[in-house]
Amino acid sequence: MEDTVFWEDIGEMIRVLVKRFGILNANCCDTCCGEEVSPAQSHIILEIGKRSCPSMQDVAKCLCMDITTFSRQIKTLEARGLVTKSPDPGDKRINLLALTPEGTQVRNKINNHMREYLNLLFSGMTEFERDTVVRSVKLLSEALENSGICCFR
Amino acid sequence: MEDTVFWEDIGEMIRVLVKRFGILNANCCDTCCGEEVSPAQSHIILEIGKRSCPSMQDVAKCLCMDITTFSRQIKTLEARGLVTKSPDPGDKRINLLALTPEGTQVRNKINNHMREYLNLLFSGMTEFERDTVVRSVKLLSEALENSGICCFR
DNA sequence: AAAAAATACTTGTAAAAAACAATTAAAAGG
DNA sequence: CCTTTTAATTGTTTTTTACAAGTATTTTTT
């Protein structure tokens, strides 16, 4: 009884939190990168940046994007000079993705923006609170990882 | 130096976390509600459910949705019998939104789904860890609230 | 080694979502 | 009153998304 209310509550909070960060991300894409990338594209850029020469499948799967949609997004990003696509020497079916210097710049802009925002967010907290939050983010990350529900990996 | 890496790291974790919950929500919309609502629509339904007779503007603003996009979404939801729109007696420009019984059912389905998932997520944690996470979600919620950056309110 | 199946990716096409401009209607402020 | 603001809708275009089908390459099977 009490428990139901509790879960409803915490679920609602997480929903709002996630929605807010999502909006933040969308705004960031508009604001910090000169309107050149959409939220979906920013995810792609960050994900390519995080890995080393991932294939299209790798990135598309980890973002749960339809491969055809993904293919077209990459086409756009390539045309804008942010991403390169090069055939895998060992398997000609596969295209390996990488960021161009411009793409890396965009990546840095996005990361800086996020960092500034987190700084602002954490600045209103005590050291203890900050640590609590950081630990929780890690905990949740791991729990999500292990739950295996989502294709993100 | 060390700090930069730290922020980059935690920023990345939050990004992935948020993305994952977003995907989870999208999947939920497909799975738990018989494909009848999109993620955007699920947000609208939950937000209407949370408030008492909000206006279109209220909900659209809090979700950072363009009012014209929102207007059409409401039209769809109304056509599907999930939401009602009734003119404000005090101001004829305003339409007040509410969930129909069917809409409320969908809302409950979504909430149940989220609760089940959270249960699963938390079941792998110790009592202490769970408390940490819950406290952090609250902390982050409040910090976001106070940062005033996002239009969500 | 040849045929069949699977994998990686692209293109055609259609539907849905999103956004800008313009419009209607009502309220608020001089 | 008349002007301005606010709430919402409709017209229109662009963007996003996704299914179906197709090509090319690799792997599996017999």
Side-chain angles (χ1 to χ4, degrees), chain B residues 56-57 71-72 75 85 93 95:
Chain B
M56 308 251 308
Q57 291 289 340
S71 174
R72 287 190 165 105
K75 213 165 151 187
K85 215 166 54 178
R93 290 171 304 177
N95 278 323

Side-chain angles (χ1 to χ4, degrees), chain A residues 101-125:
Chain A
E102 291 79 24
T104 306
Q105 257 186 323
V106 170
R107 183 195 179 209
N108 290 337
K109 274 196 217 168
I110 297 170
N111 277 335
N112 287 341
H113 202 264
M114 183 64 166
R115 189 168 59 236
E116 273 171 35
Y117 185 66
L118 285 180
N119 250 316
L120 181 65
L121 219 53
F122 282 122
S123 70
M125 294 186 193

